[in-house]
């Protein structure tokens, strides 16, 4: 392939949201070459967010999770292949599947995602112990949940809490066990974390922090019966969800000799060390444009944003990845929306007097870094624009009586257009 | 099943029977209609399933709730009085005959 020329074929490994979007965006941008989308799951690409929400509750059939029906892939000449990739040969530019079949690529996109971490304790393999990542996982959880009386959720991250809410709504006893001293510790401020602790407790869920799981116990049929904590306490359980984070799937990249550092390492254009291989979404560690720090994000927005950038690059538009991250989580009837990243913050300003509807503005120095909105969608949307456009907002502005993000955005639109 | 008509930017119309309980967004996606992205999967997070409801059928709909109304201020194509998020339009028998126009851009 000559510099600047489009590759004659693109092979995408992984048909989650990022893999699907790469194929879809390539066609949208008029890419005429062959596109092969390889899925380890023998199913049409589907949405994952409902797996811990509506789908888990039985409110949606699998077909309703499809990103597109089969006719779409036919119409767009996107070859869907079900199979597990065993090996990448960067020199020969081929990928080999477990069944021995081989695919040549002009460009390869790794959208391999991540797998749930498991607990390294005795009894982790008992029946009734689940993780949640795929539609198949959700289906088996849904079946277990219908019969479960006592559920223990290990890990108070997004998956753990979303599942805990569904389990509680389905009527059983629910206990959440977390090693850290608060929920969502890596994702949100203490103020927002406290809100979710209160919410789950108010709904009748037992929340245990600063506790480590030592073992899982089962009966003679290998069904889980209890979770033992490091302090010796035993929590009876007939269903256990392990929600202790994910590990990016980097094995194929490593075996192919590509750099890996907490994810498949890519540059700001999402290229790996090999100019014919990109990596996107949950599996990719990419540099933040401002700090240069490597970042790996697990979100629909990140997967879709990465996919679009790669599709643009492959069709001739070169840019660095600089999209504002955003996330959301639904628990009971509460929606949390986050715009931006606040790994570092020293000042916070809370908007709203309602304890169940507020936004937390997180500043580092005088710079707004992130906004967490609980049941305040208007704040969230305004925050996304403010942060995306680099509109200036100081803690002093935000504490002025009558301040709203939307009004501030409206008053600075003229300024922001000049900035961007 | 209620019949919903989707009108593309170029004027092409497709009328579809959309099952009760699903959404106008799902009806488009499942039937392979271009022009609705629905990046967040119908969770009212992204405003990429924006439609313009035909004025002759707007009375079939209840007004937008606060959340939808807020998001409509952030659509990629301009908001108009008839703008709605199709993921928030649950298909009921009252929607039979609804006509929606797809916008120029979704993101």
């Amino acid at each position: 392939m000559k510099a600047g020329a489009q590759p004659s074929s693109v092979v995408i490994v992984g048909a989650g949201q990022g893999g699907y979007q790469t194929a879809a965006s390539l066609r949208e941008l008029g890419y005429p070459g062959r596109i092969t989308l390889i899925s380890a799951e023998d199913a049409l690409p589907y949405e994952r967010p409902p797996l811990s929400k509506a789908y888990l509750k039985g409110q949606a059939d699998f077909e309703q999770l499809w990103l597109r029906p089969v006719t779409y892939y036919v119409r767009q000449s996107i070859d869907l292949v079900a199979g597990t990739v065993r090996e990448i040969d960067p020199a020969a530019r081929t990928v080999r599947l477990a069944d021995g079949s081989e695919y040549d690529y002009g460009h390869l996109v790794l959208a391999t995602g991540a797998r749930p971490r498991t607990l390294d304790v005795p009894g982790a393999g008992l029946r009734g112990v689940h993780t949640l990542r795929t539609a198949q996982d959700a289906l088996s959880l849904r079946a277990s949940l219908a019969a479960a009386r006592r559920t223990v959720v290990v890990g108070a991250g997004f998956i753990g809490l979303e599942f805990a809410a569904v389990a509680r709504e389905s009527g059983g006893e629910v206990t959440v066990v977390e090693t850290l001293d608060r929920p969502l510790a890596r994702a949100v401020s203490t103020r927002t974390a406290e809100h979710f602790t209160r919410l789950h407790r108010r709904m009748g869920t037992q929340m245990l922090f600063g506790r480590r799981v030592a073992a899982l116990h089962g009966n003679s049929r290998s069904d889980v019966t209890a979770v033992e904590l490091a302090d010796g306490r035993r929590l009876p359980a007939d269903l256990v969800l392990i929600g202790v984070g994910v590990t990016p799937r980097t094995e194929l990249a490593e075996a192919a000799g590509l750099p890996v550092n907490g994810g498949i390492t890519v540059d700001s254009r999402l290229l790996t060390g090999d100019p014919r291989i990109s990596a996107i979404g949950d599996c990719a560690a990419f540099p933040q444009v401002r700090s240069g720090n490597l970042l790996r994000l697990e979100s629909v927005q990140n997967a879709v944003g990465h996919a679009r950038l790669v599709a643009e690059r492959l069709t001739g538009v070169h840019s660095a990845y600089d999209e504002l991250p955003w996330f959301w989580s639904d628990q009971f009837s509460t929606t949390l929306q986050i715009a931006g990243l606040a790994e570092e913050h020293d000042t916070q300003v809370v908007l709203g007097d309602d304890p169940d509807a507020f936004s937390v503005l997180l500043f580092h120095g005088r710079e707004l870094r992130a906004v967490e909105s609980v049941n305040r969608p208007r704040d969230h949307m305004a925050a996304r624009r403010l942060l995306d456009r680099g509109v200036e907002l100081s803690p002093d502005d935000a504490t002025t009586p009558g301040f709203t993000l939307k009004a501030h955005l409206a008053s600075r639109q003229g300024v922001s257009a000049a900035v961007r | 099943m209620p019949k919903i008509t989707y009108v593309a930017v170029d004027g092409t119309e497709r009328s579809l029977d959309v099952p009760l309980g699903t959404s106008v967004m799902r009806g488009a996606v499942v039937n392979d209609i271009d022009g609705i992205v629905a990046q967040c999967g119908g969770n009212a997070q992204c405003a990429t399933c924006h439609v313009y409801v035909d004025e002759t059928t707007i009375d079939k709909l209840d007004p937008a709730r606060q959340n939808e109304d807020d998001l409509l201020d952030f659509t990629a194509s301009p908001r108009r009085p008839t703008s709605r998020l199709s993921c928030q339009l649950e298909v009921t028998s009252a929607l039979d005959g609804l006509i929606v126009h797809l916008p120029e851009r979704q993101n």
Side-chain angles (χ1 to χ4, degrees), chain A residues 64 75 337 378 406, chain B residues 26 32 45 66 70 73:
Chain A
Q64 302 215 349
R75 185 161 62 90
Q337 296 166 297
R378 177 174 297 183
K406 199 173 171 183
Chain B
R26 270 285 136 205
D32 201 7
Q45 298 289 335
Q66 183 75 61
D70 289 346
D73 286 343

Side-chain angles (χ1 to χ4, degrees), chain A residues 172-249:
Chain A
E173 283 177 30
V174 181
T175 304
V176 176
V177 181
E178 165 63 50
T179 53
L180 301 174
D181 63 356
R182 60 188 166 109
L184 307 170
R186 280 182 299 274
V188 303
S189 67
T190 50
R191 164 77 188 230
T192 299
E194 278 162 19
H195 175 78
F196 280 92
T197 303
R198 274 201 308 277
L199 172 68
H200 282 263
R201 284 191 173 140
R202 193 164 78 212
M203 300 307 281
T205 298
Q206 182 172 209
M207 304 290 279
L208 302 177
F209 297 110
R211 311 279 215 310
R212 194 172 289 281
V213 171
L216 304 178
H217 298 283
N219 60 21
S220 56
R221 295 189 308 274
S222 292
D223 295 321
V224 69
T225 55
V227 174
E228 184 184 331
L229 304 182
D231 60 13
R233 182 169 171 191
R234 279 195 187 207
L235 306 167
D238 41 27
L239 170 59
V240 176
L241 178 83
I242 310 294
V244 294
V246 299
T247 310
R249 292 178 180 268

Side-chain angles (χ1 to χ4, degrees), chain A residues 102-361:
Chain A
E102 278 193 1
Y103 293 85
D104 298 336
Y105 62 80
H107 196 86
L108 176 67
V109 179
L110 298 175
T112 49
R115 65 170 61 83
R117 279 199 205 110
T118 50
L119 281 186
D120 186 19
V121 299
L126 287 164
R127 271 199 302 183
V129 180
H130 297 258
T131 53
L132 177 52
R133 178 81 189 174
T134 65
Q136 198 56 48
D137 294 340
L139 209 55
S140 97
L141 254 177
R142 193 155 101 178
S144 296
L145 192 60
R149 288 170 45 240
R150 282 181 292 219
T151 295
V152 172
V153 175
V154 182
F158 286 116
I159 289 289
L161 290 189
E162 287 174 8
F163 176 75
V166 172
R168 187 69 197 119
E169 281 175 326
S170 77
E173 283 177 30
V174 181
T175 304
V176 176
V177 181
E178 165 63 50
T179 53
L180 301 174
D181 63 356
R182 60 188 166 109
L184 307 170
R186 280 182 299 274
V188 303
S189 67
T190 50
R191 164 77 188 230
T192 299
E194 278 162 19
H195 175 78
F196 280 92
T197 303
R198 274 201 308 277
L199 172 68
H200 282 263
R201 284 191 173 140
R202 193 164 78 212
M203 300 307 281
T205 298
Q206 182 172 209
M207 304 290 279
L208 302 177
F209 297 110
R211 311 279 215 310
R212 194 172 289 281
V213 171
L216 304 178
H217 298 283
N219 60 21
S220 56
R221 295 189 308 274
S222 292
D223 295 321
V224 69
T225 55
V227 174
E228 184 184 331
L229 304 182
D231 60 13
R233 182 169 171 191
R234 279 195 187 207
L235 306 167
D238 41 27
L239 170 59
V240 176
L241 178 83
I242 310 294
V244 294
V246 299
T247 310
R249 292 178 180 268
T250 59
E251 299 83 353
L252 285 172
E254 274 174 88
L258 300 171
V260 168
N261 180 8
I264 303 168
T265 313
V266 292
D267 64 15
S268 63
R269 300 162 300 168
L270 310 176
L271 274 174
T272 66
D274 182 324
R276 290 195 173 85
I277 308 178
S278 304
I280 64 166
D282 289 16
C283 70
F286 64 98
Q288 248 183 311
V289 166
R290 270 176 222 128
S291 66
N293 295 335
L294 280 184
L295 190 66
R296 196 179 65 77
L297 294 175
E298 297 151 26
S299 74
V300 170
Q301 175 272 336
N302 185 59
V304 170
H306 278 183
R308 290 220 181 92
L309 183 122
V310 167
E312 284 170 9
R313 170 159 49 70
L314 293 175
T315 52
V317 178
H318 288 261
S319 53
Y321 188 73
D322 186 22
E323 272 194 36
L324 179 80
W326 57 269
F327 314 85
W328 86 91
S329 175
D330 290 323
Q331 296 165 42
F332 300 107
S333 55
T334 296
T335 297
L336 166 67
Q337 296 166 297
I338 305 172
L341 292 173
E343 290 150 309
E344 281 185 309
H345 63 269
D346 46 35
T347 308
Q348 63 182 54
V349 174
V350 179
L351 303 180
D353 313 323
D354 183 344
D356 292 325
F358 60 88
S359 288
V360 186
L361 278 52

Side-chain angles (χ1 to χ4, degrees), chain A residues 17 47 64 66-69 71-72 75 300-301 304 308 326 328 330 335 337 377-378 381-382 384-385 406, chain B residues 22 26 29-32 34 36-41 43-46 66-67 69-71 73-75 107:
Chain A
Q17 189 106 30
E47 288 168 4
Q64 302 215 349
W66 286 346
L67 286 157
R68 288 288 181 270
T71 47
Y72 171 83
R75 185 161 62 90
V300 170
Q301 175 272 336
V304 170
R308 290 220 181 92
W326 57 269
W328 86 91
D330 290 323
T335 297
Q337 296 166 297
R378 177 174 297 183
M381 295 307 291
R384 263 161 60 180
R385 290 241 161 146
K406 199 173 171 183
Chain B
T22 168
R26 270 285 136 205
V29 169
V30 165
N31 289 291
D32 201 7
D34 278 337
I36 287 189
V37 173
Q39 188 192 114
C40 79
N43 289 274
Q45 298 289 335
C46 65
Q66 183 75 61
N67 188 9
D69 186 57
D70 289 346
L71 276 159
D73 286 343
F74 296 92
T75 52
N107 44 31

